Structures are given as structure tokens and as C-alpha cells.
Amino acid sequence: MNLLMYKTRFKRTAIVSMVAVFTLMSGCTSDDPDEGSSSDRNSLSGTAVDGYLAGATVYLDFNENGRRNAGEPNAITDKDGYFSTSKDGLTDYCSSGATTQEKAHCLSAIETGFEVILRTYGGFDVYTGEPFMGSMSAKISAADFNSNGVLEDQIISPITSLLTELAEDDRSAFEAAYNLDLDVDENRDFLSSGGFDADTTNAAIAFHKIVTIFSAVLDDYYEEIGSDNQSFPISSSIFIYEAIADVVRTGGGTKVTAANVGGVF
């Protein structure tokens, strides 16, 4: 997808998306559009995994433009890569008794009732200490919340990022290509000792490498990406994940290899 095509797509989707945002914002009770009354906001907890990402920004991309805008709820992952709830589960960053510092890790939003994209960018890998370049995403809906209005243990990873761009009808092709069972693997913390799975980890690493290499080229070449121009995303990662999804989709269950990776770029 070239930049002109992306800009055209964004203009089409923005109209519908902004209607949803304005509906969502109607429940806010503060002059700050990121704030709302505690009674009508739901908590979203989870982990950013590409290596665990500490200090990364997590936000709800209501208008799906690939960048955080005013009014889009956001939080910062903690030192372990978690948001809203700590790794040990003992600290609720969204509780009324949370400190100001802890509340920086709290992600909450008014219930949408429709699908929305959860994205993350920035921060650094807690294992390597290297900064995270790019962006990842996960698609969530009202059905993902429990009866108490809480979405728990949401994973944001290269796997969920690709699935954000993959149509529901194409999930079986993706499963066949990478030997996955998405009912289990879609929200798997593949780096944890209890959740490790070789196929899931190999797929995540493969996507990470492709996206890292290609997006670095695009981000450097197109100055609009990552600029103050609100018509373009903060990172070209969104384009690369979409292109990988296209390769898997058109291949009918063929993974990205050295033979077809040119189709991604």
C-alpha cells in the first residue's frame, strides 16, 4: 500500500470512526478528554510482548490512524511490560488507592460496544535494553470483557498485530501456515515459562524481524511517517503487518519465506 492509498483509506474510515469517538466521549466528566468518571469506565489489563516492553505507550486507536491522538485513552507499561495490573497480579494500577505514579500504568475507557484497535509504541526491551522501534496492535471488542466490565491479560505482540490486519475468514490459512491454534495462541505470552510454545515463538520472531527490517527502510525514506502530519501513522509497521497478512491470505496457508518475502516489501 503506498502513502496516497493509505491517506485515502484513512479519510474514508475517519468519518465513521470519529462518530464512534464522539459517542464514546459523551460519557466523560472531565475537561481532560482522557479522563472520565470511574463509574462508567472499564479497565483493560495486559502485556506488551516483543521481548517485554517497559515504558511503552499503550492506547486505544479509535480512529485507526496508527497514532495516538487527543482523547484516546492511554497508559505506560511498567518495568515488566504490564499495564493496569502488575506482573504478580498484586497491584491494581487502576484502583482508587493507586498512587499517581501507579495510575500512569492504568488503561481504562468507556465501554465502546464495537471493535477497537489497541496499539503500543516506544519503550524498550527489558531483556536487551534496546529501544523498541515500531508499533504493535491487538483488536478487541465488547465480547472480550468479562461480566465485571474488565478485559484481563490482553497480549499485544507480533501475532496479534498480524491478526489485526487479517480478516476473520483468513484465520484458518494463517493457522495452517504457522501451525497455530489461534483459540489458544492468539493471546499467549509466548515468552513466559508457562506459556512458551515453539511454533508461536517462531512465528512472532519471524514477523518481528520482517517488520523491523522493512519498516526501518520505509520510516527513513518517507519523512511523513512519524512526523506531525496526522494523516500518517507514527510507524510504517502497520503497512508491513498488512502486507504480511496479504501474503498469507493470497498464499492460502503459505508462510512468508525467502521466496515470497519480496511481496511484503
Side-chain angles (χ1 to χ4, degrees):
M1 177 183 294
N2 62 37
L3 295 185
L4 178 60
M5 289 172 62
Y6 173 79
K7 196 168 185 179
T8 302
R9 186 187 71 171
F10 170 67
K11 287 181 177 179
R12 288 200 304 265
T13 59
I15 297 174
V16 175
S17 298
M18 288 309 295
V19 171
V21 171
F22 288 134
T23 302
L24 204 70
M25 295 312 300
S26 65
C28 290
T29 59
S30 168
D31 292 334
D32 182 348
D34 289 340
E35 297 292 336
S37 67
S38 60
S39 61
D40 58 7
R41 296 179 72 85
N42 294 339
S43 173
L44 301 86
S45 71
T47 318
V49 186
D50 190 44
Y52 296 112
L53 301 181
T57 298
V58 182
Y59 69 101
L60 293 172
D61 187 6
F62 290 141
N63 60 5
E64 298 186 17
N65 69 341
R67 61 168 59 230
R68 182 171 68 87
N69 302 119
E72 293 179 334
N74 60 91
I76 303 296
T77 59
D78 66 12
K79 62 182 180 62
D80 298 309
Y82 285 66
F83 57 93
S84 294
T85 304
S86 62
K87 181 178 181 179
D88 58 16
L90 299 179
T91 304
D92 180 358
Y93 297 131
C94 298
S95 71
S96 58
T99 66
T100 300
Q101 183 176 359
E102 289 172 339
K103 287 181 179 179
H105 306 307
C106 170
L107 181 63
S108 64
I110 302 165
E111 184 177 354
T112 63
F114 53 84
E115 283 190 339
V116 66
I117 305 299
L118 179 64
R119 296 193 194 275
T120 186
Y121 68 91
F124 61 92
D125 188 319
V126 300
Y127 291 144
T128 66
E130 294 293 325
F132 173 66
M133 309 301 293
S135 176
M136 295 190 297
S137 61
K139 186 182 295 183
I140 61 175
S141 67
D144 296 320
F145 290 79
N146 63 26
S147 58
N148 294 321
V150 177
L151 187 153
E152 297 180 307
D153 304 325
Q154 173 65 49
I155 296 294
I156 310 174
S157 72
I159 300 290
T160 63
S161 299
L162 189 137
L163 291 176
T164 297
E165 306 301 333
L166 200 65
E168 188 70 26
D169 292 343
D170 296 315
R171 287 167 66 96
S172 59
F174 178 76
E175 290 180 317
Y178 289 92
N179 194 32
L180 300 177
D181 177 1
L182 290 179
D183 289 339
V184 177
D185 298 325
E186 181 173 4
N187 208 40
R188 179 191 292 273
D189 180 356
F190 53 86
L191 292 183
S192 68
S193 57
F196 175 80
D197 174 76
D199 289 322
T200 309
T201 303
N202 286 336
I205 292 174
F207 300 149
H208 166 78
K209 292 299 183 182
I210 294 171
V211 171
T212 298
I213 293 170
F214 286 176
S215 64
V217 175
L218 292 178
D219 289 354
D220 184 60
Y221 188 81
Y222 293 103
E223 62 182 20
E224 296 90 346
I225 298 174
S227 70
D228 293 333
N229 189 330
Q230 296 295 306
S231 295
F232 296 95
I234 196 170
S235 167
S236 61
S237 299
I238 185 173
F239 301 143
I240 307 303
Y241 278 115
E242 183 173 350
I244 295 174
D246 285 341
V247 170
V248 175
R249 178 186 302 112
T250 57
T254 301
K255 66 173 61 178
V256 179
T257 65
N260 61 17
V261 72
V264 173
F265 196 65

